[in-house]
Amino acid sequence: MIDADLVSFFTQKFKSHPEFESSAPGRVNIIGEHTDYNEGFVLPCALHYKTEVVGSKREDTIVNAYSLQYPDQSESFDLTKPIEHSEWAWGDYLRGVLIELLNLGSDLRGMDLVITSDVPQGSGLSSSAALEVAIIGLFNFAYGLQLSNKQIARLGQLAENNFIDCQCGIMDQLISADAQAHSALLIDCKDLSTQAVHIPEHLALLVINSNYPRKLADSEYNQRRDACERVASTLGLKTLREASMADLRRIAGVVSEEDFRRAKHVITENLRVLDAADALESNDVKRFFTLMYEAHLSLKNDFEITVDATDGIVDIVMTALNGNGACRQTGGGFGGAVVCLCDERDVNSVIEAVQNQYHKQFGLSADILICEPARGLSAQARINSVGS
Ligand code: ADP
Ligand code: MG
């Protein structure tokens, strides 16, 4: 169901009903951290938090846009003129994806469009990917471009890499475009093949944002990437995807102890992602919980991207769940969020434990989001009856 405020805002601004609608979700990564740039495996899940866009084609080549989250900032540019950076930060996501669509040689004309979203911005749920995928999805449908979900995801990633200057991988856009209902998506970052993995219905999905101020994230991220590349090249490999623990042990004395642990995380994490997908698929939730917590310990002890605050939330939640669920740092680390899967019946005790203990121990308050796994991009024509 498209947000009624979105349609009435469009109607008020453009004096007509929108012809098309598109919707794309935010996401959380369930397991598979820092494996993407090593051409490994990830297992993200799309969430019910989503970005919606409604629009109508124009005869000329002008794109006019609004976002309900920034109602006073209007966007307007011509697709036949060089596309410069926008006055508004959000406008660059729109311009960035249109540059990529034009680079494909697509025969585009303009669009009037309005955006809205309930994906929290900058909280690690990837509101930017949801925005890119929803907009590309709208143009794809309206102009019959016949792009696959994978191509849509790639264009969103290129927009971030080339116009926003964020060197992200393709995971966020691919899960937003391609997620199946009530499933996580196993993505092989080497060849981008995907497999939907059903999430058992009785499991609840929580994202708990630590609100820890992220400081060193970019420089530390680059250091981790460099460490992985050093070990791969010592092994004569392009990436750690091709490496086994036996390979790593052979060069134990050659690489530094720290680099050894960085590579150990990546190699073991890839195995955990495949095992976890298997465990979920076969409803072996105990095994799945064990793997999730092992993944956290690997990030904490070997990859060293957690902080006391996120480790603290994980401890609080693991104690509250007493084996009936699991919790781990999600995303790049150095703060950010943790993801928890547990039985629906235990959600309240998790929330209570975090509310009672986290602020007391760390002086911060956490945002707890109860999430539903959701499907990916959908775009269609709107059936415009009066008042729709
Ligand atoms: P995230 O982790 O949420 O992806 P980013 O910094 O990558 O964080 O992207 C957030 C940015 O995406 C916002 O600052 C804004 O420019 C843009 N954005 C996200 N959602 C919307 C929206 N609904 N309307 C306009 N811009 C949005
Ligand atoms: Mg983003």
Side-chain angles (χ1 to χ4, degrees):
M1 253 326 256
I2 288 285
D3 188 318
D5 292 344
L6 179 61
V7 176
S8 63
F9 191 95
F10 184 99
T11 310
Q12 182 204 329
K13 289 291 178 191
F14 298 112
K15 312 291 174 228
S16 63
H17 290 296
E19 296 171 63
F20 303 100
E21 63 188 38
S22 171
S23 157
R27 65 93 188 95
V28 66
N29 192 20
I30 292 180
I31 191 166
E33 225 58 80
H34 289 267
T35 45
D36 56 348
Y37 54 81
N38 289 295
E39 297 192 340
F41 299 97
V42 292
L43 188 71
C45 172
L47 305 177
H48 70 288
Y49 293 103
K50 57 187 183 300
T51 298
E52 296 177 327
V53 188
V54 291
S56 291
K57 291 194 281 191
R58 292 177 59 92
E59 292 301 321
D60 61 17
T61 50
I62 308 292
V63 174
N64 296 311
Y66 292 90
S67 165
L68 294 197
Q69 281 66 56
Y70 304 93
D72 302 329
Q73 303 178 356
S74 65
E75 255 291 64
S76 185
F77 55 95
D78 187 338
L79 295 175
T80 59
K81 306 234 166 80
I83 298 179
E84 313 283 344
H85 279 279
S86 168
E87 203 179 331
W88 321 114
W90 70 270
D92 275 351
Y93 291 89
L94 174 67
R95 290 171 185 235
V97 296
L98 278 153
I99 290 171
E100 297 304 333
L101 279 167
L102 290 169
N103 284 346
L104 279 185
S106 316
D107 183 20
L108 292 182
R109 276 162 293 128
M111 187 89 75
D112 293 329
L113 65 94
V114 184
I115 301 156
T116 192
S117 183
D118 61 0
V119 185
Q121 294 180 21
S123 294
L125 300 189
S126 212
S127 67
S128 61
L131 178 61
E132 292 145 17
V133 169
I135 292 169
I136 301 169
L138 183 78
F139 277 84
N140 183 44
F141 187 88
Y143 284 111
L145 305 179
Q146 312 263 340
L147 298 171
S148 68
N149 286 340
K150 220 164 266 177
Q151 287 172 303
I152 290 173
R154 176 73 180 139
L155 293 177
Q157 181 202 9
L158 285 174
E160 293 234 14
N161 294 169
N162 297 334
F163 203 63
I164 305 294
D165 207 17
C166 168
Q167 299 312 310
C168 60
I170 198 174
M171 171 173 79
D172 300 348
Q173 290 81 7
L174 192 51
I175 181 69
S176 184
D178 211 31
Q180 313 290 303
H182 222 282
S183 301
L185 194 68
L186 176 62
I187 301 173
D188 181 340
C189 296
K190 186 166 186 193
D191 63 8
L192 299 188
S193 58
T194 59
Q195 182 197 323
V197 180
H198 180 76
I199 296 179
E201 313 288 342
H202 67 282
L203 287 187
L205 176 60
L206 302 177
V207 175
I208 306 170
N209 193 336
S210 66
N211 287 319
Y212 177 89
R214 297 184 84 208
K215 280 187 222 123
L216 300 167
D218 287 348
S219 65
E220 293 279 353
Y221 176 86
N222 291 334
Q223 288 174 27
R224 297 303 182 281
R225 274 189 93 133
D226 290 347
C228 295
E229 278 167 24
R230 270 196 302 275
V231 177
S233 94
T234 306
L235 286 166
L237 301 171
K238 184 171 156 248
T239 66
L240 288 176
R241 162 63 178 272
E242 319 300 338
S244 67
M245 277 308 292
D247 294 333
L248 183 61
R249 277 188 217 103
R250 267 203 307 278
I251 55 161
V254 182
V255 294
S256 70
E257 185 272 337
E258 188 177 276
D259 280 3
F260 182 94
R261 283 187 289 114
R262 306 296 189 243
K264 177 181 162 217
H265 164 74
V266 173
I267 295 168
T268 56
E269 183 82 346
N270 278 331
L271 297 173
R272 278 188 293 270
V273 176
L274 294 176
D275 271 5
D278 233 36
L280 265 190
E281 198 81 282
S282 50
N283 212 353
D284 185 353
V285 290
K286 282 277 176 207
R287 170 123 195 87
F288 176 76
F289 293 154
T290 305
L291 289 161
M292 240 180 113
Y293 186 54
E294 283 175 7
H296 180 76
L297 293 179
S298 181
L299 287 175
K300 180 182 173 186
N301 300 324
D302 289 334
F303 217 63
E304 294 182 288
I305 57 124
T306 64
V307 294
D308 286 350
T310 49
D311 287 334
I313 297 179
V314 169
D315 287 345
I316 292 166
V317 174
M318 291 302 289
T319 306
L321 287 171
N322 194 22
N324 287 320
C327 186
R328 57 173 280 279
Q329 165 86 50
T330 185
F334 303 98
V338 308
V339 56
C340 165
L341 273 113
C342 64
D343 198 290
E344 265 169 0
R345 287 172 309 196
D346 296 321
V347 168
N348 285 340
S349 41
V350 168
I351 294 174
E352 242 171 65
V354 173
Q355 284 173 343
N356 288 339
Q357 297 171 52
Y358 180 60
H359 185 264
K360 238 181 254 162
Q361 288 180 33
F362 298 95
L364 295 164
S365 49
D367 293 320
I368 306 176
L369 305 173
I370 302 176
C371 301
E372 300 280 336
R375 60 165 292 189
L377 171 67
S378 72
Q380 54 263 314
R382 286 179 55 76
I383 302 158
N384 279 317
S385 55
V386 175
S388 69

